[in-house]
Amino acid sequence: VRSFLSARGNVNRGIRRTITTEPERFLAFNNGITATATSVERSASGALTGIRDLQIVNGGQTTASLYYLRRDQAKVTPAALKQVAVQMKLVVVNEGIAQDLVGQISRYANSQNRVSEADFFSNSPFHVRLEEISRRLLAPALDSSGIRTKWFYERVRGQYQNELSQRTAAEAKKYQLTFPKSQLITKTDAARYAVSWDMQPHLVSAGAQRNFVAFANSVASKWEKSDAQFNEEYFKELVAKAILYRKTRVLVAHAPWYEQGYLANMVSFAIAKLAYEVQSKFAGRRFAFGQIWAA
């Protein structure tokens, strides 16, 4: 469905790196290829001895990466290539319907749900801890009713909706009373709030995924030094930053000078500016996130 995307892309760079540094793990790391044929011949032992109309419909980047690496670095990689194994799903289709069916197989094999960079960090101890805190920590009551709710930290994409869908309508409604949708914080949301306050709005403006990777690297560095800092107080501050960010977004969106576009960028820069002013004018003091949480 597309030609070789060169060795400069992240995926193809990774393929080449695995071949040259860990060829014995290629089978474990690579998704393999999907191919079709109109007929096959097998030996008595079941081994394939002949294939007719072989066509690779998914895995072209893997195939081309292997080919070009062998062609361009023939003197470097023969030994490595001998350790590379690639799994293949071979679908034998009737010749009469091959033209239509092969096209469908190609379409569906190449249209799987995309996994974002943020998804890969779902199981890190940082996110597991924030999830655990969010499920037990009650937020202050919002009104005179005294009803206390919780903020839902979504460690895995789609987790909040899954919690609702596995309940009956009545149970789901009750669950939302405890975890209102307005109090949902996704991983990428958390990154946006935290990085904005860390005065790096240019990273936020670079896009959710790039910003999240920067946030993840920052958290990993701090976690190595001491994971104790990621406690209930940290979560309360994160929620306070979420409230501050969302309120600022509403103010900017309804400001008479605001027209259209770049809303997220403006909000991030506004938060960063506030953090800068606090830091420069009140050195040694901390912003009162606790009051925002308590309010």
Side-chain angles (χ1 to χ4, degrees):
V1 296
R2 60 188 175 190
S3 60
F4 183 50
L5 300 179
S6 84
R8 291 191 295 273
N10 287 339
V11 173
N12 291 346
R13 250 202 333 266
I15 291 173
R16 291 173 71 96
R17 185 167 56 249
T18 300
I19 294 170
T20 55
T21 62
E22 300 177 289
E24 72 283 357
R25 296 187 177 183
F26 194 85
L27 182 69
F29 292 169
N30 189 267
N31 287 332
I33 62 178
T34 299
T36 61
T38 55
S39 66
V40 297
E41 296 173 8
R42 301 166 113 184
S43 67
S45 64
L48 287 177
T49 57
I51 303 177
R52 182 180 179 188
D53 296 326
L54 177 68
Q55 183 175 345
I56 294 173
V57 294
N58 179 251
Q61 303 307 308
T62 294
T63 308
S65 294
L66 286 162
Y67 167 76
Y68 285 115
L69 193 60
R70 181 181 181 184
R71 188 196 70 176
D72 299 339
Q73 301 183 33
K75 295 180 180 179
V76 181
T77 60
L81 286 172
K82 288 181 179 178
Q83 299 181 63
V84 172
V86 185
Q87 67 265 38
M88 177 177 70
K89 178 174 73 175
L90 179 61
V91 182
V92 181
V93 299
N94 184 285
E95 191 170 0
I97 60 172
Q99 185 173 359
D100 178 57
L101 188 58
V102 168
Q104 288 182 307
I105 293 172
S106 177
R107 174 179 293 277
Y108 295 131
N110 287 285
S111 63
Q112 297 167 353
N113 290 329
R114 178 178 176 270
V115 179
S116 70
E117 290 289 341
D119 293 330
F120 289 113
F121 294 95
S122 297
N123 294 320
S124 78
F126 167 78
H127 297 298
V128 171
R129 181 174 296 179
L130 289 196
E131 177 191 44
E132 185 273 324
I133 292 173
S134 76
R135 300 304 189 270
R136 60 175 170 77
L137 185 63
L138 286 166
L142 297 176
D143 51 41
S144 58
S145 68
I147 297 175
R148 301 181 68 181
T149 58
K150 298 176 183 178
W151 285 74
F152 188 101
Y153 185 78
E154 190 173 74
R155 177 176 63 84
V156 178
R157 183 158 48 123
Q159 194 174 21
Y160 181 81
Q161 190 56 46
N162 284 338
E163 289 287 350
L164 298 179
S165 61
Q166 65 187 5
R167 289 170 164 78
T168 65
E171 290 172 341
K173 188 173 182 179
K174 184 178 179 181
Y175 190 83
Q176 287 180 300
L177 291 177
T178 302
F179 293 101
K181 191 172 183 178
S182 60
Q183 293 179 192
L184 165 66
I185 299 179
T186 67
K187 295 190 301 295
T188 50
D189 287 339
R192 187 180 303 114
Y193 307 146
V195 175
S196 293
W197 186 261
D198 286 344
M199 295 177 287
Q200 300 183 81
H202 60 289
L203 293 178
V204 178
S205 298
Q209 297 305 316
R210 289 183 63 183
N211 178 62
F212 184 84
V213 171
F215 172 66
N217 291 337
S218 174
V219 166
S221 177
K222 294 175 182 176
W223 185 278
E224 285 183 9
K225 294 177 182 177
S226 173
D227 66 290
Q229 61 187 296
F230 299 105
N231 49 27
E232 286 190 7
E233 288 306 310
Y234 177 89
F235 185 75
K236 289 178 181 179
E237 285 199 5
L238 178 62
V239 170
K241 289 172 184 175
I243 295 170
L244 183 63
Y245 185 98
R246 293 174 184 184
K247 292 290 186 182
T248 302
R249 191 179 189 280
V250 172
L251 290 173
V252 172
H254 291 89
W257 48 263
Y258 177 71
E259 294 180 356
Q260 293 292 327
Y262 302 104
L263 178 59
N265 308 72
M266 291 181 183
V267 174
S268 184
F269 273 89
I271 296 296
K273 173 64 172 174
L274 173 61
Y276 173 79
E277 292 296 333
V278 170
Q279 187 180 90
S280 60
K281 294 182 179 179
F282 303 96
R285 301 178 66 181
R286 299 180 72 243
F287 189 74
F289 286 116
Q291 292 186 27
I292 296 178
W293 163 265

